[in-house]
Amino acid sequence: MTGARWRRRWRRRLAEPRTLFAKLWDQHRVADLPGGAALIAIDRIFLHERTGAAALGGLKAAGRSVADPARVFCVMDHIVDTRPGRDDRTLMPGGQAFITETRAAAREAGLTLFDVTDPDQGIVHVVSPELGIVLPGATLVAPDSHTCTQGALGALAWGIGSSEAEHAMATGTLRVATPRTMRVTYTGKLGRGVTPKDMILALIARHEAGGGKGHVVEFAGEAVTALDMEGRMTLCNMATEFAAMTGVIAPDEATFDYLAGRRYAPRGAAWDRAVAHWRTLATDPGASFDAELEIDAAALEPMVSWGTSPEHSVAISGAVPGDAGDRPLAYMGLRPGEALAGLPIDAAFIGSCTNSRLSDLRRAAALLTGRRVAPGVKALCVPGSSAVKRAAEAEGLDKVFTEAGFEWRESGCSMCFYAGGESFPAGSRVVSSTNRNFEGRQGPGIRTHVASPETVVASAIAGRIADPRAIGEGADA
Amino acid sequence: MPEPLTTHTGVAAPLLRDNIDTDAIIPSREMKTTGKTGLAEGLFAGWRYLAPGTRDPDPSFVLNQPAYAGATILLGGSNFGCGSSREHAVWALAEFGIRAVIATSFAPIFFGNCVRNGICPAVLPPEAVAEIAAAAEAGSQVSLDVEAGTVSLADGRTWSFSLEAEARAMLTEGLDAIDLTLKLRDRIAAFHARDRAERPWIYLEEQA
Ligand code: SF4
């Protein structure tokens, strides 16, 4: 295309109403590639020790280097132990090498590293917003599928493979096929005890785990704008469970308030300029999407999963569907028609990049105050970052958890996924604030029911899957 | 750099489940080294072996059945490769000898990872995958022509799948995406010059 033709097309495009996604995409389009793909500039890259050494090692083996190390970050979260007093040793067999090799490679490449004992250590998708590394209007990629979490800030943030991470580091760009767009509008207001986790589980249950396939999903509507930033992150976190490329929410005052003063966010005059730019990042009225869905948030109930895909989820007052497949039922040890509420549990887990931020811990602790975990239930709380842990401790939340019978851990991914190290006893039924209930996700034979932190706490207290709305705020101790 | 893949004929193993996730393809506990190799043994470990951590083959799993020994093609259901973005899933498949996965749909990250590692991901409608699976069960080999974008059986039945031009070129020529992109070095530099003026806050080295 000639320069003049390109400019004409460009002006036409600018005059048309555009989606938030289109604005992010156009801002980062370095070149058009054959087949409708584009070369997209990448503003931020985040690595973790599970895949970081492989990507950095691959780069080095090919004789390449990181184009702009100042914009590449690395954190230890996946394999690092979460037991108090941890160091490089981990329960995962061979896990220490992931930590030491990633550390060495990150240092050699000149990246910013949040190491095992760094005060800023934590789960990548918790740390990145916390430090203002992800920003509205930015592109951010990480070799981790839950990178979509960070779309909550109005960024185009998505998970990639290791080879793509090498590509992004070596060139500062990625070759990306233009995704389709979808808007999911949540109308109305959430009821008491119903959370962003329930919003996203309801979407996936209704429209299936493949329902958002390849789309960039914009979450919009009254119930979305009413969410605080941490709630928005929970919502976007599970876009990948909907098979979406990512989720995104238009930045607004809540976003700017959240980011102001964070370490890597702009300051002074640059801040004002940035905010002026960020205010333009909303879908124009009349812009069209490839697909639109609507959900009445006011009609939602707390959700809980019964099977081995997040689409296998129902309202907590519901039951295992009559037409549930044999395989998930056999794995989960359930029968068609069986009620979810009242199922005895062995363990309760609060943690993960979905639901382990300070507001999650506060809401969980509010229900837990003065109550105790049912006898025989193993309960764990793993803060999403070291900063969340410190803030929670400053408010005394750790005491609420430990006095109720929860273990209180160092921050990390912990038992959100099983890497051969720590797990629950085989076959345990676990209510978990995480995002995946796949076979074996939390360990061999572990039966995971994903739910909100509130539902996890209510269930931990009851010793069975329980509706958090049935109990009020905790009794005073 | 992956080996070029233009045409391929081989044994196809049917694994016709939906939502086969990357944890199933390579469980986390099987990702024992920080590199990209040594993963084939852990492929489908949770299904392939009788107990976690052991190596006793489960005879009911398709890749353990004599008819599918040496399978180089996998047949799958919808949303194949969903879940974690771990590229190890594709490295494990490639090391095991898989050259193509034919499924009714793929998770996007997994799809891209296949292309980058010399495995052809082919999307066909459910009826086609079912027919191919039936033929494979009856002992027919399956052929793939990446350039033409077709899957065919020995009896002549043929189906077309679509692949973007660039993905096709990467597979058939074994091209490395980084080298392709670095040819656009000047465009990238021009972008940064413009963008730096427009969004200086993105460029952190200047704020240090
Ligand atoms: S907390 Fe779980 S889902 Fe989130 S990044 Fe860690 S392992 Fe992945």
Side-chain angles (χ1 to χ4, degrees):
Chain A
M1 204 181 295
T2 66
R5 259 180 67 200
W6 188 79
R7 271 195 301 276
R8 265 202 310 280
R9 205 185 78 170
W10 183 248
R11 267 201 303 274
R12 228 181 12 251
R13 278 187 72 119
L14 286 181
E16 286 166 9
R18 288 184 302 163
T19 61
L20 166 57
F21 162 74
K23 293 180 187 184
L24 298 173
W25 189 253
D26 290 345
Q27 180 91 49
H28 291 89
R29 221 167 37 151
V30 174
D32 288 326
L33 301 174
L39 188 66
I40 294 295
I42 301 301
D43 298 332
R44 303 277 183 271
I45 302 166
F46 229 123
L47 304 177
H48 57 62
E49 84 280 26
R50 181 118 191 97
T51 47
L56 289 166
L59 207 59
K60 196 174 159 188
R64 296 177 173 126
S65 59
V66 179
D68 186 357
R71 295 193 278 140
V72 186
F73 298 80
C74 182
V75 66
M76 306 289 187
D77 58 1
H78 273 65
I79 286 168
V80 67
D81 223 87
T82 57
R83 292 170 304 169
R86 67 173 170 204
D87 51 25
D88 285 1
R89 286 167 297 184
T90 140
L91 288 170
M92 179 193 152
Q96 194 165 337
F98 285 80
I99 296 172
T100 53
E101 287 177 28
T102 299
R103 174 183 298 137
R107 282 192 185 148
E108 193 187 328
L111 316 185
T112 303
L113 171 68
F114 307 112
D115 211 333
V116 176
T117 55
D118 193 294
D120 294 315
Q121 178 276 344
I123 304 172
V124 47
H125 315 304
V126 179
V127 168
S128 174
E130 214 165 64
L131 295 176
I133 291 170
V134 63
L135 295 172
T139 47
L140 180 147
V141 295
D144 188 287
S145 52
H146 290 100
T147 307
C148 53
T149 311
Q150 305 186 41
L153 286 98
L156 192 63
W158 74 101
I160 54 173
S162 295
S163 305
E164 286 184 293
E166 287 178 36
H167 188 289
M169 287 193 283
T171 68
T173 65
L174 277 179
R175 311 171 77 89
V176 199
T178 311
R180 279 165 297 169
T181 56
M182 176 187 283
R183 176 161 57 190
V184 179
T185 305
Y186 288 90
T187 59
K189 289 193 173 66
L190 284 178
R192 191 180 66 85
V194 188
T195 71
K197 180 65 155 285
D198 307 307
M199 291 165 73
I200 189 71
L201 282 174
L203 173 71
I204 299 169
R206 236 172 257 184
H207 298 282
E208 301 187 350
K213 196 180 112 48
H215 288 75
V216 169
V217 176
E218 178 173 349
F219 296 106
E222 184 187 354
V224 173
T225 41
L227 295 175
D228 63 18
M229 292 313 294
E230 300 191 348
R232 295 180 193 185
M233 291 180 217
T234 301
L235 185 63
C236 289
N237 176 267
M238 292 183 68
T240 187
E241 264 63 62
F242 193 44
M245 173 180 165
T246 188
V248 65
I249 295 174
D252 58 13
E253 295 308 314
T255 319
F256 311 145
D257 288 349
Y258 173 91
L259 280 171
R262 298 200 182 249
R263 187 177 321 151
Y264 293 92
R267 349 186 137 257
W271 168 262
D272 297 336
R273 254 189 93 183
V275 171
H277 176 84
W278 297 342
R279 285 191 205 284
T280 67
L281 299 175
T283 292
D284 297 327
S288 69
F289 291 81
D290 296 312
E292 293 239 32
L293 297 174
E294 197 175 293
I295 288 194
D296 177 6
L300 296 180
E301 282 191 67
M303 300 286 294
V304 61
S305 72
W306 56 264
T308 53
S309 157
E311 74 183 20
H312 298 154
S313 296
V314 290
I316 196 154
S317 60
V320 176
D323 60 353
D326 293 341
R327 195 181 168 88
L329 288 183
Y331 184 82
M332 294 300 290
L334 296 172
R335 293 181 314 275
E338 200 166 352
L340 269 305
L343 267 184
I345 60 164
D346 304 298
F349 181 81
I350 293 184
S352 88
C353 55
T354 323
N355 278 123
S356 65
R357 297 179 180 82
L358 189 58
S359 58
D360 295 313
L361 304 193
R362 282 182 181 151
R363 296 195 319 274
L367 290 179
L368 208 51
T369 303
R371 295 193 168 112
R372 282 202 59 82
V373 170
V377 172
K378 180 183 168 77
L380 255 95
C381 179
V382 186
S385 72
S386 297
V388 168
K389 178 170 185 269
R390 280 191 306 276
E393 287 171 354
E395 296 179 13
L397 302 185
D398 58 322
K399 296 259 162 14
V400 176
F401 280 103
T402 52
E403 280 166 14
F406 267 81
E407 283 182 45
W408 180 253
R409 293 293 189 95
E410 294 292 336
S411 143
C413 296
S414 189
M415 288 191 244
C416 170
F417 85 116
Y418 177 68
E422 205 180 3
S423 180
F424 302 98
S428 295
R429 188 176 297 287
V430 185
V431 184
S432 181
S433 77
T434 53
N435 44 41
R436 289 195 172 139
N437 52 351
F438 300 152
E439 286 184 25
R441 169 73 180 182
Q442 290 190 296
I446 302 297
R447 295 161 167 170
T448 302
H449 295 269
V450 296
S452 71
E454 284 88 330
T455 302
V456 173
V457 163
S459 306
I461 296 164
R464 355 185 123 249
I465 292 182
D467 189 333
R469 295 169 303 181
I471 56 172
E473 297 242 317
D476 278 324
Chain B
M1 205 176 288
E3 245 181 72
L5 176 70
T6 47
T7 57
H8 175 78
T9 298
V11 172
L15 200 59
L16 301 187
R17 299 177 194 163
D18 292 339
N19 300 314
I20 291 181
D21 60 83
T22 52
D23 287 65
I25 298 171
I26 182 92
S28 260
R29 63 175 180 278
E30 297 289 348
M31 293 159 52
K32 290 181 184 131
T33 66
T34 56
K36 303 179 178 182
T37 52
L39 295 160
E41 214 186 277
L43 181 72
F44 292 117
W47 295 341
R48 206 164 132 208
Y49 306 118
L50 284 169
T54 70
R55 290 292 181 253
D56 303 324
D58 180 339
S60 69
F61 184 63
V62 61
L63 291 176
N64 290 331
Q65 294 164 6
Y68 302 107
T72 52
I73 299 170
L74 273 188
L75 303 173
S78 66
N79 204 21
F80 196 100
C82 62
S84 145
S85 68
R86 65 183 66 153
E87 197 154 327
H88 304 69
V90 172
W91 296 333
L93 285 167
E95 192 178 311
F96 185 83
I98 299 296
R99 299 305 317 264
V101 181
I102 302 171
T104 59
S105 67
F106 289 89
I109 299 175
F110 182 86
F111 189 95
N113 285 343
C114 281
V115 171
R116 279 163 205 273
N117 289 281
I119 294 179
C120 178
V123 177
L124 289 181
E127 314 78 62
V129 177
E131 264 189 67
I132 296 166
E137 277 162 16
S140 169
Q141 293 211 334
V142 174
S143 298
L144 214 87
D145 185 331
V146 181
E147 194 60 60
T150 57
V151 175
S152 54
L153 296 171
D155 63 15
R157 276 178 290 170
T158 299
W159 296 267
S160 298
F161 61 93
S162 67
L163 206 56
E164 270 158 8
E166 185 170 297
R168 180 177 314 136
M170 283 173 67
L171 283 170
T172 56
E173 295 165 46
L175 288 181
D176 183 318
I178 297 181
D179 288 334
L180 279 181
T181 296
L182 288 176
K183 290 188 187 152
L184 299 168
R185 224 183 240 113
D186 297 348
R187 300 283 295 272
I188 298 173
F191 172 89
H192 283 308
R194 194 173 67 234
D195 190 53
R196 214 178 267 269
E198 210 172 304
R199 303 186 308 148
W201 58 88
I202 291 298
Y203 296 82
L204 290 169
E205 74 281 14
E206 282 152 24
Q207 291 174 17

